[in-house]
Amino acid sequence: EAQVTQNPRYLITVTGKKLTVTCSQNMNHEYMSWYRQDPGLGLRQIYYSMNVEVTDKGDVPEGYKVSRKEKRNFPLILESPSPNQTSLYFCASSLQGAGGYTFGSGTRLTVV
Amino acid sequence: AQSVTQLGSHVSVSEGALVLLRCNYSSSVPPYLFWYVQYPNQGLQLLLKYTSAATLVKGINGFEAEFKKSETSFHLTKPSAHMSDAAEYFCAVSGQGGSEKLVFGKGTKLTVNP
């Protein structure tokens, strides 16, 4: 089944403790992206990647890192999480030029 | 640059009534336009997309949307609401020609009353 898989689905952590949210897609898509969703703000792009080893900042990149060493994987790294990063995170992938993303099921992160 | 405005953060309709969710966009290049639906505690699912073919686009679950360039609009409609349509709906825009950045509106929560 074609899908984007994120892990974990739920995560509670403490301020400053490094964490990684994994994302993997099995559709051979070139384009991958991370979004965060907050009430009243919709979805905002954090980082995106147009292919292996090619990443760029989205609209809200502060406090996040990404890497794209393989086409299928695009992990999101929070080196020192803070409470304002409490949010619902979505990974998505797209075939270049086709328009439209396939989304993962989301990761609900709480930083206390 | 692209942006999306969804009019109405909450819309309430009766079961069987027309659903109309409004979306206006701004784009400096010919756009691709999308509607996504998010059911509670789930990810986003693509309802339909406009990619410069027919201006009236039919999607899943009986939804459709019409691209109106002169009005920069892409409103979502369904003739008869069903209880299962209760969800949050997001309009999104990206640029044609290889730019995959997707810009979302803030969403409209649809309530369907029995």
Side-chain angles (χ1 to χ4, degrees), chain B residues 6-108:
Chain B
Q6 290 184 242
L7 297 173
S9 58
H10 290 83
V11 170
S12 183
V13 300
S14 298
E15 192 172 19
L18 171 72
V19 175
L20 171 60
L21 304 183
R22 298 178 188 273
C23 171
N24 288 91
Y25 72 92
S26 171
S27 179
S28 55
V29 297
Y32 288 158
L33 291 156
F34 309 86
W35 277 99
Y36 285 86
V37 60
Q38 185 180 31
Y39 298 103
N41 299 314
Q42 294 188 27
L44 279 80
Q45 180 182 3
L46 182 65
L47 267 181
L48 49 81
K49 65 180 180 182
Y50 164 77
T51 56
S52 77
T55 57
L56 182 62
V57 181
K58 293 188 185 298
I60 61 172
N61 302 338
F63 284 93
E64 62 181 37
E66 187 172 8
F67 171 67
K68 291 187 176 180
K69 185 177 179 181
S70 61
E71 298 177 9
T72 61
S73 68
F74 191 57
H75 302 330
L76 182 71
T77 60
K78 182 175 180 178
S80 176
H82 192 272
M83 297 294 289
S84 61
D85 295 326
E88 191 157 19
Y89 292 80
F90 293 92
C91 182
V93 63
S94 71
Q96 295 186 20
S99 170
E100 298 295 325
K101 178 170 179 170
L102 201 58
V103 176
F104 284 86
K106 295 183 178 179
T108 298

Side-chain angles (χ1 to χ4, degrees), chain A residues 58-69:
Chain A
D59 298 315
V60 288
E62 293 79 20
Y64 304 95
K65 283 177 57 177
V66 293
S67 68
R68 187 95 181 270
K69 293 182 169 41

